[in-house]
Amino acid sequence: MPLRLRGKKKKGQSKETRKLVESEEAAAARGGGDGAAAPPAPAQPGARLLFHTQLAHGSPTGLVGGFASVRELYEQIGRAFRIPAAEIIFCTLNTHKIDMDNLLGGQIGLEDFIFAHIKGPKKEVDVLKSEDSLGLTITDNGTGYAFIKRIKEDSLVDQIKTICVGDHIESINGKNLVGCRHYEVANLLKGLEKGQTFKLTLIEPMKAFEMIEPRLKSGTLSEAKISKGRETLRLRSKGPAIVEEVPSEIEEKAIKKVDDLLETYMGIRDIELAATMVEAGRDKNNPDEFAVALDEALGDFAFPDEFVFDVWGAIGDAKQGRL
């Protein structure tokens, strides 16, 4: 899963913090100087960029750096706090709360503070599928954990208060879903017969301490992402990380619309997938060229023709200022 980042003043560190991240600081010292303001070296993208991080339920502050993918970021966080990387369900930016509007996706601003939400209690819930739609929107963390991003108000699942936003869906009717992508989980839920009772095994995130105050007072992530002329670090599942400018306002509108279409057609939310689709259509002249580009980049998804046509229309509407 790709990712992107924005510059941040370095904070003074306590002895406890320094102990947690001494290896990262030593690596930075060997690189020479403060690398946060400089672009990463081409041979080691992001190696000199350091980011402040905490466990969302409460912890000292650590530093992570030198990662080129979400998986590597989780491994860095795991080492910083001496926990298995597999304990991390998802991360949020600039808030310790389970806030899906600030979910870490394909971009990290150089000023962003990363909060890792780790596994908490496990729970099993029996659900009677009395309606065709459950009212769930699924996303995943890019490392094998699908979780609930949204619950539609007044939907079937909204009436079951033990099912919450942020819950990792570990299994359905005993079928292990660890390693499955969001669309696979969404398709499995959609394929359950109406009138059937099924069992969800969920793992909720460890709850944050309410006494923790917000760390940053800057604007929201969405506001920051459309600021012009700012750079981000974009992480990719394959290939090196790259430093690039944040998407233009027109591209942001197209990405948001495509993300809405993903929810409508597939029951998932994935802002980075939407961004990849918009990027694929950037220099295409017609829907046929766009469809070929999507097959080359995202063939595993097997998008229906109607969906591809609507995505092409959304990209065109954004270019023409109709969104």
Side-chain angles (χ1 to χ4, degrees):
M1 182 184 229
L3 202 2
R4 309 175 190 171
L5 307 169
R6 282 179 301 269
K8 179 182 187 103
K9 293 183 179 179
K10 294 208 171 182
K11 300 181 179 179
Q13 298 177 20
S14 66
K15 292 181 179 179
E16 189 173 15
T17 299
R18 288 197 295 271
K19 184 177 179 181
L20 272 176
V21 296
E22 59 185 344
S23 61
E24 284 86 353
E25 290 176 328
R30 288 194 297 272
D34 179 3
Q44 294 181 335
R48 296 183 181 179
L49 297 174
L50 296 177
F51 301 89
H52 292 85
T53 184
Q54 289 184 359
L55 300 181
H57 65 280
S59 75
T61 299
L63 290 178
V64 292
F67 50 87
S69 67
V70 174
R71 187 177 298 277
E72 291 181 9
L73 169 60
Y74 285 12
E75 291 171 353
Q76 288 278 326
I77 294 172
R79 284 195 289 270
F81 297 108
R82 297 183 174 89
I83 62 172
E87 287 295 300
I88 302 171
I89 302 177
F90 58 86
C91 292
T92 50
L93 300 175
N94 307 324
T95 177
H96 66 285
K97 297 180 179 179
I98 301 172
D99 182 353
M100 294 295 122
D101 289 334
N102 288 295
L103 187 67
L104 184 150
Q107 299 180 3
I108 303 178
L110 298 183
E111 298 176 350
D112 285 343
F113 200 121
I114 303 169
F115 291 87
H117 298 255
I118 67 172
K119 291 180 179 179
K122 181 180 292 191
K123 54 194 177 184
E124 292 188 345
V125 185
D126 291 325
V127 180
L128 172 62
K129 190 175 182 183
S130 58
E131 302 174 14
D132 291 326
S133 174
L134 296 172
L136 287 178
T137 298
I138 311 298
T139 191
D140 64 48
N141 66 358
T143 66
Y145 290 166
F147 57 93
I148 299 171
K149 186 170 185 179
R150 178 181 297 176
I151 297 176
K152 186 177 181 180
E153 188 175 0
D154 297 327
S155 65
L156 189 158
V157 170
D158 191 35
Q159 312 306 314
I160 307 173
K161 300 308 178 185
T162 51
I163 301 177
C164 303
V165 168
D167 286 354
H168 161 46
I169 304 175
E170 184 181 58
S171 70
I172 299 175
N173 287 335
K175 178 180 174 60
N176 186 358
L177 300 178
V178 174
C180 292
R181 291 300 312 274
H182 45 28
Y183 66 92
E184 295 174 302
V185 177
N187 285 338
L188 184 57
L189 289 169
K190 187 180 296 185
L192 294 171
E193 293 183 8
K194 185 177 178 180
Q196 175 185 352
T197 297
F198 63 95
K199 185 182 294 292
L200 282 176
T201 302
L202 306 169
I203 300 177
E204 64 182 57
M206 192 80 74
K207 292 297 187 293
F209 298 143
E210 290 304 316
M211 72 282 293
I212 299 178
E213 294 296 324
R215 273 65 171 184
L216 299 177
K217 301 294 185 181
S218 58
T220 65
L221 179 63
S222 59
E223 290 171 345
K225 283 170 63 179
I226 63 174
S227 298
K228 296 181 179 178
R230 307 190 70 173
E231 291 184 327
T232 64
L233 180 66
R234 179 169 180 173
L235 308 185
R236 300 180 181 276
S237 57
K238 297 180 180 179
I242 58 172
V243 176
E244 63 182 21
E245 288 192 359
V246 295
S248 67
E249 187 172 355
I250 290 175
E251 288 177 321
E252 285 286 346
K253 289 180 178 179
I255 291 168
K256 183 180 183 303
K257 180 62 177 178
V258 173
D259 197 34
D260 290 341
L261 290 171
L262 283 170
E263 181 175 30
T264 300
Y265 277 88
M266 303 178 67
I268 64 174
R269 282 271 175 181
D270 189 332
I271 201 71
E272 189 56 32
L273 175 60
T276 300
M277 298 180 77
V278 171
E279 185 176 341
R282 185 176 292 160
D283 58 349
K284 301 302 179 289
N285 298 313
N286 57 62
D288 290 335
E289 290 182 4
F290 178 57
V292 171
L294 280 188
D295 282 342
E296 292 175 350
L298 301 166
D300 290 344
F301 285 87
F303 297 119
D305 291 343
E306 184 181 2
F307 170 75
V308 172
F309 188 80
D310 282 352
V311 170
W312 173 253
I315 294 172
D317 286 345
K319 290 178 179 178
Q320 297 300 320
R322 293 192 291 266
L323 291 182

PDB file of all heavy atoms in Angstrom, residues 41 225 230 296:
ATOM      1  N   ALA A  41      17.750  10.412  -0.011  1.00  0.00           N
ATOM      2  CA  ALA A  41      18.716  10.023  -1.035  1.00  0.00           C
ATOM      3  C   ALA A  41      18.071   9.028  -1.984  1.00  0.00           C
ATOM      4  O   ALA A  41      17.312   8.166  -1.560  1.00  0.00           O
ATOM      5  CB  ALA A  41      19.944   9.409  -0.373  1.00  0.00           C
ATOM      6  N   LYS A 225      -3.647  18.166   2.851  1.00  0.00           N
ATOM      7  CA  LYS A 225      -3.323  17.429   1.642  1.00  0.00           C
ATOM      8  C   LYS A 225      -3.527  18.261   0.381  1.00  0.00           C
ATOM      9  O   LYS A 225      -2.885  18.018  -0.625  1.00  0.00           O
ATOM     10  CB  LYS A 225      -4.178  16.162   1.555  1.00  0.00           C
ATOM     11  CG  LYS A 225      -3.685  15.049   2.469  1.00  0.00           C
ATOM     12  CD  LYS A 225      -4.666  13.923   2.536  1.00  0.00           C
ATOM     13  CE  LYS A 225      -4.869  13.247   1.221  1.00  0.00           C
ATOM     14  NZ  LYS A 225      -5.813  12.124   1.301  1.00  0.00           N
ATOM     15  N   ARG A 230       3.447  21.613  -1.425  1.00  0.00           N
ATOM     16  CA  ARG A 230       4.015  20.849  -0.325  1.00  0.00           C
ATOM     17  C   ARG A 230       4.343  19.448  -0.806  1.00  0.00           C
ATOM     18  O   ARG A 230       3.670  18.883  -1.653  1.00  0.00           O
ATOM     19  CB  ARG A 230       3.036  20.807   0.847  1.00  0.00           C
ATOM     20  CG  ARG A 230       2.573  22.198   1.261  1.00  0.00           C
ATOM     21  CD  ARG A 230       1.823  22.166   2.550  1.00  0.00           C
ATOM     22  NE  ARG A 230       2.711  21.859   3.650  1.00  0.00           N
ATOM     23  CZ  ARG A 230       2.321  21.898   4.931  1.00  0.00           C
ATOM     24  NH1 ARG A 230       1.096  22.206   5.221  1.00  0.00           N
ATOM     25  NH2 ARG A 230       3.168  21.611   5.885  1.00  0.00           N
ATOM     26  N   GLU A 296      -3.918  -3.262 -16.533  1.00  0.00           N
ATOM     27  CA  GLU A 296      -2.479  -3.434 -16.355  1.00  0.00           C
ATOM     28  C   GLU A 296      -2.054  -3.167 -14.920  1.00  0.00           C
ATOM     29  O   GLU A 296      -1.189  -3.858 -14.372  1.00  0.00           O
ATOM     30  CB  GLU A 296      -1.723  -2.502 -17.306  1.00  0.00           C
ATOM     31  CG  GLU A 296      -1.880  -2.880 -18.783  1.00  0.00           C
ATOM     32  CD  GLU A 296      -1.214  -1.877 -19.709  1.00  0.00           C
ATOM     33  OE1 GLU A 296      -0.795  -0.801 -19.219  1.00  0.00           O
ATOM     34  OE2 GLU A 296      -1.114  -2.160 -20.921  1.00  0.00           O
TER      35      GLU A 296
END
